[in-house]
Each structure stands twice: as structure tokens, then as C-alpha cells.
Amino acid sequence: DIMNTLKDLCLPNVAFEIAFSDVNYDIDSSFKENGVDIVEFLVSFNLGETPKPLSKVASGGEMSRVMLAFKTHLLKNAKLSTIIFDEIDTGISGEVALAVANKIKEISKTTQVLSITHLPIVAASSDQHLLVYKEINKDRTVTNIRQISLDERIAELAKMISSKVDEASIQLAKQMIEKF
């Protein structure tokens, strides 16, 4: 299932293995900080490459997609009411960003999702848009959050799309919202 989800997330040639190393229980039978078993995720993102430790070969974008794939399947059994993705889309763009947005949208059908993102396509896929912003109040910086209207949402997406908010970025923002 994880392999299929990784393919959905634009990793068509991924190979994934879970390696359990033998522990010599006669010599080392005590529990360690992370348990007694030695487990390693091995992955290859390129056809013909031998799977290697995930922590050694994954880019930021690849790591984000692997985490999303795991969380997608863990959620099916965990029956959580809410999940928070804090920039799960780091290091991705284009077609991959759309695939991630679609996967988050799929998850949101059974679990409430709060997704912190800087990608307009991911923000456009949401049912609600909350704006997080900072203000200075009595010589202190305060972080605020509020739900925004459709018009404000279009304006925020247009800002995420282009540093110059113009008719083209506004129209693209509207199209992105309509897609979802």
C-alpha cells in the first residue's frame, strides 16, 4: 500500500524495504532508547539502484512524500479525528505539489486536516483557509490566526503565486480553487 501511495505521489520507480538486523541477544539483550530491535527503512527512488538507508538518500521533497505515504496508511488504522501537517510539502513543486494536494484532500475525507503550507496549490485544495499572521502589539510580536473569506482567499493565493498581484495571478487563484 505504501508503494502504491508513493507512486501516486510521483515516485514511479521507488523501491522500498524494511530491514530488520539481527540482534545478538546473548550479548546485548537490554532495551535501548528506541527499543531492542534494529530496524532501517531502505529506499531507492531510481530504477536499477539498490535500496539504501532513507536518511542517507532522500531529498527534502522525497522525505516529505515518504512521510505523507506513511501517515496516509497509519491514519487508516489510528482513527484520529485530526492530523496536522506542518509543511509536509517542503521541497516540492509543480506536478508533485498537485499530487500531494490531492493526497491531503483524500485524507481530509475521513480525518480533519490542518495543513501548514506555502504552496498555493495545497492551500487551494482546502475547504477552509486560515490565515496565520504576525502583528506588533504593545512592543511585542503576536501571532494571530483567522478564517478568511473567499475574496481574501483568492487574494492570499494570488500573493503566493506571484509577488505582483495582478489579474493573471487572481484568475489563476480562482482556477486553482475551482479545481478542487
Side-chain angles (χ1 to χ4, degrees):
D1 287 344
I2 289 173
M3 294 284 291
N4 288 333
T5 300
L6 289 169
K7 289 176 183 177
D8 290 346
L9 294 170
C10 300
L11 293 169
N13 298 313
V14 69
F16 182 78
E17 299 173 11
I18 301 174
F20 292 87
S21 297
D22 290 331
V23 176
N24 186 338
Y25 290 103
D26 294 332
I27 296 172
D28 194 8
S29 62
S30 61
F31 282 96
K32 305 289 183 250
E33 181 179 322
N34 295 315
V36 70
D37 295 318
I38 300 171
V39 179
E40 191 166 37
F41 296 133
L42 305 176
V43 67
S44 167
F45 296 106
N46 301 303
L47 193 60
E49 294 294 318
T50 303
K52 294 181 177 67
L54 176 66
S55 62
K56 305 279 188 220
V57 298
S59 69
E62 290 164 338
M63 187 67 79
S64 293
R65 288 180 275 170
V66 168
M67 290 303 301
L68 182 56
F70 270 97
K71 289 182 179 189
T72 297
H73 294 285
L74 291 172
L75 285 171
K76 289 179 182 176
N77 296 320
K79 296 184 175 29
L80 297 175
S81 60
T82 304
I83 186 161
I84 300 171
F85 291 127
D86 187 0
E87 297 186 25
I88 194 77
D89 49 19
T90 297
I92 63 169
S93 61
E95 178 185 2
V96 175
L98 178 59
V100 167
N102 285 326
K103 189 57 66 179
I104 292 171
K105 188 74 170 178
E106 178 185 319
I107 292 168
S108 76
K109 291 178 181 173
T110 58
T111 304
Q112 176 177 268
V113 175
L114 297 174
S115 182
I116 300 161
T117 185
H118 295 280
L119 293 181
I121 194 69
V122 174
S125 72
S126 68
D127 295 326
Q128 303 288 325
H129 191 135
L130 303 174
L131 179 65
V132 179
Y133 59 98
K134 293 184 180 183
E135 291 181 318
I136 297 182
N137 186 353
K138 297 180 184 173
D139 296 327
R140 299 240 10 216
T141 301
V142 180
T143 302
N144 293 305
I145 186 169
R146 68 180 176 85
Q147 186 172 349
I148 58 178
S149 70
L150 178 59
D151 288 340
E152 292 172 310
R153 184 175 183 198
I154 291 167
E156 284 301 318
L157 289 173
K159 283 188 228 175
M160 294 170 84
I161 292 166
S162 173
S163 60
K164 179 183 175 191
V165 175
D166 57 13
E167 191 57 34
S169 62
I170 290 171
Q171 287 306 312
L172 183 53
K174 288 178 181 178
Q175 289 172 4
M176 291 168 74
I177 290 171
E178 289 170 7
K179 184 207 177 318
F180 292 99

